[in-house]
Amino acid sequence: MRESARAVIGSVCSGFTELPAPEPDESGVDGPIGWPGYDSARARAVERTGEQESVVCGVGKFGGTEATVIAWEFGFLGGSLGRRTGDRIEAAFERARELRTPVVSMIATGGSRMQEGMAALSQLQRIARQAALTRAAGLPQVAVVRDPTTGGGWATLGAGSDVALALPGAQVGFAGSRVRPAGDAAAYTAESQLASGHVDQIVPAAELGERLGRWLSLLTGADGAPAPPPSALGSGDLPSDGWAAVRAARAPSRPRAESYLDAYFDWREDISGDRCGGVDPGVRCGFGMRSGVTVAYAAQCGTATLPSGFRTAARLIRLADRLGIPVLTLVDTPGAANDPAAERAGAGAAIAEVFAAVAGARVPVTTLVIGEGGSGGALAFAHPERTWVTPDSFFSVTSPEAAASILKRAPSEVPETANQLRLRPQDLVELGIARGIVTR
């Protein structure tokens, strides 16, 4: 049985104060298009749920963070969106901007209200406008995708949120169950949306209140100061030549991004996916708390970076920039994936997105090269003025093997080619590519 809107609110936040509902437009009989029996259906919904509309809006505390809450009551005409729903959602967003609070949308809806025709569907434009104004005001928006979340509720506040959390097993998709084509029903689930890069996390209902508190703390906890580069975790010895640098960076025992993130942050939460249908397990992005201050991170994990990884990193950097959160990037990749699948997925455009996000960021971006810095796929993650390197890393215009192949050299000449590329940490400092070498 689905929980009511008020039960959901009570389970995740404290001190909830409901916002006064705007005065409804009572003109007309049976709604704006005179749908027979609509007034009676609304009256039954009021009697059944105790609510006057399909959303309950107010302000509550999630841990130590106050937020504006929009919670759907699915029992009221399937949580459908009508004009009065739009009135309430608009008023909630306006109040959030007045109070400077994040917005948490806890969605359970079948879509727009058929009995109001286009007057209902047009509420999606109204909601999109309020979400856009709130984004422009620098306030975070978090969605909780409940069961079901379909139609315009998913296509506006669900998929359009900064962070999307979903309950396990929730039905999620633009098409509702009665109008979608026959076939793969699993595609319309929270788990499928996570695998496709449209949902950031799946959170059990029992953990939802705590997780929302963590997320809101992270998204509102920046101080604007540049993130200091992490300390080196691997060998402190500088390589004697270029080939030694390459071997050190490729050593299986070298610390990877996960170790650096765990050492750097007290705790953190990942986002997942590019919101375009892809997830790259070789790129970790999210927000972490370090000594009471939030830092965003985009980290390559040692694999060839997929287009979806670049797009996820760009999404992270743009979001952090809008919220005033400094960014830490960790560079570690042999290069961008360049197989036919990557090209079809838009590798060049995806890399361009990250270059543009870093170049246009108003917040400080700090970069640490922790392993392989392979060509443009690595450089896209690096800030041109705030890049540091570890002793067991290198950065190169291309790999020594690729350089030798391009120059038509024998494989035996790869080590000497590495030496000629001047890719060692100390070379990068001397060339002005890196500001310094971090130590343990």
Side-chain angles (χ1 to χ4, degrees):
M1 183 176 178
R2 295 183 181 92
E3 283 191 298
S4 69
R6 293 186 189 274
V8 172
I9 292 169
S11 69
V12 297
C13 70
S14 60
F16 178 77
T17 302
E18 189 170 358
L19 295 175
E23 288 294 323
D25 178 5
E26 298 292 355
S27 61
V29 177
D30 283 332
I33 61 173
W35 187 279
Y38 179 43
D39 286 346
S40 297
R42 281 184 51 85
R44 290 193 298 273
V46 171
E47 182 178 2
R48 182 169 56 252
T49 65
E51 304 295 349
Q52 298 298 311
E53 246 308 326
S54 58
V55 291
V56 176
C57 304
V59 179
K61 275 207 163 185
F62 296 78
T65 307
E66 189 173 72
T68 297
V69 181
I70 303 169
W72 265 254
E73 175 54 68
F74 189 80
F76 193 104
L77 301 179
S80 56
L81 294 161
R83 291 186 305 176
R84 294 183 189 177
T85 322
D87 290 342
R88 292 185 174 215
I89 292 174
E90 181 177 65
F93 271 103
E94 289 174 345
R95 187 60 174 151
R97 293 194 296 274
E98 291 172 6
L99 297 174
R100 301 292 304 167
T101 62
V103 176
V104 176
S105 300
M106 297 188 289
I107 309 168
T109 175
S112 298
R113 194 166 297 168
M114 184 171 55
Q115 298 93 328
E116 292 189 17
M118 282 301 297
L121 190 65
S122 65
Q123 300 307 306
L124 302 183
Q125 296 168 320
R126 191 178 180 189
I127 293 168
R129 170 69 173 161
Q130 290 302 315
L133 291 172
T134 304
R135 280 194 295 273
L139 299 173
Q141 299 175 53
V142 178
V144 176
V145 181
R146 298 157 58 207
D147 183 39
T149 296
T150 60
W154 170 239
T156 52
L157 297 186
S161 63
D162 297 323
V163 175
L165 310 178
L167 296 182
Q171 179 189 171
V172 183
F174 183 64
S177 60
R178 297 185 183 182
V179 298
R180 68 179 63 134
D184 184 10
Y188 303 88
T189 62
E191 288 74 12
S192 177
Q193 299 290 356
L194 177 68
S196 299
H198 304 300
V199 164
D200 291 299
Q201 295 179 350
I202 293 179
V203 181
E207 301 175 15
L208 185 57
E210 178 186 1
R211 195 69 65 84
L212 282 168
R214 286 167 64 94
W215 269 112
L216 294 174
S217 177
L218 286 169
L219 296 176
T220 60
D223 65 3
S231 300
L233 298 180
S235 171
D237 298 328
L238 290 174
S240 57
D241 58 33
W243 188 236
V246 171
R247 286 181 299 161
R250 292 176 177 174
S253 60
R254 175 182 55 78
R256 306 285 167 160
E258 193 79 19
S259 298
Y260 275 92
L261 294 174
D262 287 344
Y264 192 77
F265 292 112
D266 301 321
W267 53 274
R268 57 190 171 87
E269 294 284 352
D270 284 350
I271 66 169
S272 178
D274 61 3
R275 299 282 175 94
C276 297
V279 176
D280 182 356
V283 173
R284 299 296 295 271
C285 295
F287 298 86
M289 190 66 72
R290 175 181 167 85
S291 301
V293 176
T294 303
V295 175
Y297 57 86
Q300 294 170 312
C301 299
T303 56
T305 303
L306 304 176
S308 57
F310 289 112
R311 285 191 288 262
T312 304
R315 173 191 160 208
L316 180 281
I317 294 166
R318 289 192 296 259
L319 174 57
D321 189 50
R322 179 161 56 78
L323 300 179
I325 301 174
V327 178
L328 169 69
T329 63
L330 300 180
V331 172
D332 184 13
T333 179
N338 58 6
D339 57 10
E343 292 296 343
R344 284 193 291 267
I351 296 168
E353 280 195 54
V354 184
F355 272 120
V358 172
R362 295 160 297 178
V363 296
V365 178
T366 300
T367 300
L368 180 63
V369 185
I370 63 171
E372 291 192 74
S375 195
L379 189 67
F381 273 66
H383 193 278
E385 298 172 358
R386 287 188 291 270
T387 291
W388 280 261
V389 290
T390 63
D392 50 359
S393 69
F394 75 86
F395 219 144
S396 178
V397 63
T398 189
S399 70
E401 294 85 353
S405 176
I406 291 168
L407 297 171
K408 299 182 179 179
R409 293 179 175 180
S412 60
E413 297 182 72
V414 167
E416 179 56 28
T417 303
N419 297 337
Q420 292 175 329
L421 285 169
R422 295 200 63 195
L423 47 69
R424 299 177 303 167
Q426 56 268 47
D427 295 327
L428 299 171
V429 174
E430 185 178 338
L431 290 168
I433 304 301
R435 292 183 63 169
I437 302 170
V438 298
T439 58
R440 293 175 66 91

